[in-house]
């Protein structure tokens, strides 16, 4: 038996072992990418307003008061009241700039309190979502749709994406290294050169992970698609 | 080259592949145990009372109204109000039978509303936890300690434990196959022949996993200790 034959056998054995391991743990893939960590930010409940809805509620365009981590995004001086069939939430943050359509992002906990059956969606994807009533001190607006539970996601620049070996819209599993460690699966990667590296989770996810501002995320697997350095499916 | 030499090479290759896989994913182990799923139950906020506290609050011992999934445990007719420095929660369930010490189990969301800095603990482990005020229509009790966020855990009989290849107090990682799939790490296994197989999570964990009554858990790795069928630590 010559060296070439031995190498062929070895390759066959390695392939077979790797395949078996993948079959035994179909949702676990061994990702050989970066061990770089990702800052994890908690998105508390908030509202994005269209220009028309902002004027209806406040009689004027939105007033920036503080910049947010994603470039161009800001917290506004204005606050709104959310009115649902079962409950009310006051003093809810409004984020700018104004968008084409108003959108309300709440947690599942909030959804139960308000009595609104909000689906888990990526920001901007509000077709056939429930509506809500927004109120200020001086105005009221009824949204026909726009209430979502924001799906967890990671903002990345193209340089970040290349480093992590992931592509826009790809899903990854991320380990949060908090007091109650968890791996969040199906976290959507969103790539845009205006984005600053940050993972966004909601308060329910934060509470169940024992989140604090120091908690970091680590990509432990890529669910498929364009990712490289990927062992299984 | 004879058969023995080939086998030696193969063993070397397999060992090398397994080591590489383990190194690349240090917290992921390939568990070859049962693929059996575990029912997942949501523990809403509730109170266990000592006999003395029950009598102080209600003037009589607790009144069973419905059996719970764990044999011998029951929901009581009685309800209490939780009073914290920042908030109040009404109509909170009381579970029986009476215990040596009263204990209040809430979620992190509840803890924020009440203004109580409750730690994540296993049930019964209440040393140096915060206190709270309990009230009924007719009585009031101040607890010096006993408020916890119940750590996620799995109840198992010894037969279950043998089937899953785990031991009492061992920690496992469990994948919850809900709308927002997650792997909860450091889930404590509690083995007792009076236990019925069930995993208990809190409402924050349920919300972040997209829990409903049909959601099942699957043990995907064992964190160490007496587990068998385990590839890496």
């Amino acid at each position: 038996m010559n060296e070439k034959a031995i190498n062929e056998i070895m390759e066959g054995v390695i392939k077979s072992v790797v395949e078996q391991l993948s079959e035994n743990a179909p949702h676990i893939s061994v990702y050989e990418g970066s061990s770089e960590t990702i800052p994890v930010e908690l998105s508390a409940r908030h509202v994005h307003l269209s220009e028309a809805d902002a004027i209806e509620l406040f009689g004027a365009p939105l007033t920036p008061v503080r910049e947010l981590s994603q470039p161009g995004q800001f917290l506004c001086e204005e606050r709104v009241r959310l009115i649902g069939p079962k409950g009310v939430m006051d003093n809810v943050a409004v984020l700018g700039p104004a968008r084409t359509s108003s959108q309300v992002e709440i947690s599942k906990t909030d959804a139960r309190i308000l009595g609104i059956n909000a689906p888990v969606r990526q920001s901007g994807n509000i077709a056939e979502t429930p509506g809500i009533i927004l109120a200020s001190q001086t105005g009221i607006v009824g949204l026909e749709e726009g209430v979502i539970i924001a799906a967890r996601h990671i903002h990345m620049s193209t340089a970040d994406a290349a480093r992590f070996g992931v592509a826009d819209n790809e899903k990854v599993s991320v380990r949060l290294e908090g007091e109650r460690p968890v791996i969040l699966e199906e976290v959507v990667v969103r790539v845009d050169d205006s984005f600053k590296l940050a993972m966004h989770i909601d308060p329910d996810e934060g509470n169940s992970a024992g989140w604090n501002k120091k908690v970091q995320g680590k990509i432990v697997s890529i669910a498929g698609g364009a990712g490289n350095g990927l062992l299984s499916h």
Side-chain angles (χ1 to χ4, degrees), chain A:
Chain A
M1 187 177 280
N2 61 21
E3 206 179 326
K4 184 162 169 284
I6 293 176
N7 283 342
E8 278 174 14
I9 291 174
M10 280 194 181
E11 277 167 22
V13 171
I14 291 174
K15 193 158 166 278
S16 156
V17 170
V18 165
E19 277 174 7
Q20 275 185 43
L21 287 171
S22 305
E23 273 167 27
N24 286 338
H27 57 274
I28 291 177
S29 54
V30 176
Y31 169 67
E32 297 170 1
S34 175
S35 63
E36 183 184 347
T37 58
I38 299 172
V40 180
E41 298 174 350
L42 197 86
S43 290
R45 74 184 73 101
H46 65 269
V47 171
H48 300 278
L49 293 177
S50 68
E51 220 168 294
D53 288 343
I55 286 170
E56 187 78 19
L57 286 166
F58 305 109
L62 298 169
T63 319
V65 67
R66 182 165 63 77
E67 288 195 356
L68 298 175
S69 77
Q70 290 308 314
Q73 303 294 303
F74 54 86
L75 176 68
C76 301
E77 204 174 275
E78 293 80 4
R79 297 263 160 171
V80 293
R81 166 179 285 186
L82 306 183
I83 304 173
K86 278 180 65 180
V88 164
M89 296 189 146
D90 279 320
N91 205 33
V92 174
V94 176
L95 305 192
R99 294 198 178 185
T100 314
S101 301
S102 293
Q103 176 175 298
V104 177
E105 299 183 35
I106 58 177
S107 68
K108 184 79 181 169
T109 300
D110 295 340
R112 288 185 208 279
I113 293 168
L114 293 166
I116 294 178
N117 188 18
V120 178
R121 290 281 184 90
Q122 286 297 322
S123 181
N125 180 11
I126 60 168
E128 290 172 56
T129 58
I132 196 167
I133 295 170
L134 305 179
S136 66
Q137 303 289 357
T138 54
I140 195 159
V141 162
L143 300 183
E144 302 238 326
E145 61 180 17
V147 184
I148 63 169
I149 297 170
R152 51 210 185 203
H153 57 273
I154 305 175
H155 292 276
M156 283 191 190
S157 68
T158 46
D160 295 328
R163 231 168 40 247
F164 285 103
V166 295
D168 190 33
N169 275 318
E170 200 159 31
K171 289 181 178 176
V172 297
S173 294
V174 180
R175 183 165 193 267
L176 300 192
E177 309 191 320
E179 191 198 354
R180 307 167 98 181
V182 295
I183 295 174
L184 300 178
E185 300 186 337
E186 300 189 10
V187 180
V188 175
V189 172
R190 292 168 60 191
V191 180
D192 189 294
D193 269 334
S194 74
F195 288 159
K196 193 181 151 200
L197 184 63
M199 176 165 174
H200 286 178
I201 60 173
D202 78 9
D204 291 334
E205 292 165 331
N207 285 335
S208 65
W211 177 87
N212 63 49
K213 284 179 184 173
K214 288 177 190 162
V215 166
Q216 298 282 310
K218 202 174 262 183
I219 297 180
V220 294
S221 74
I222 303 177
N228 56 25
L230 182 67
L231 187 69
S232 78
H233 71 141

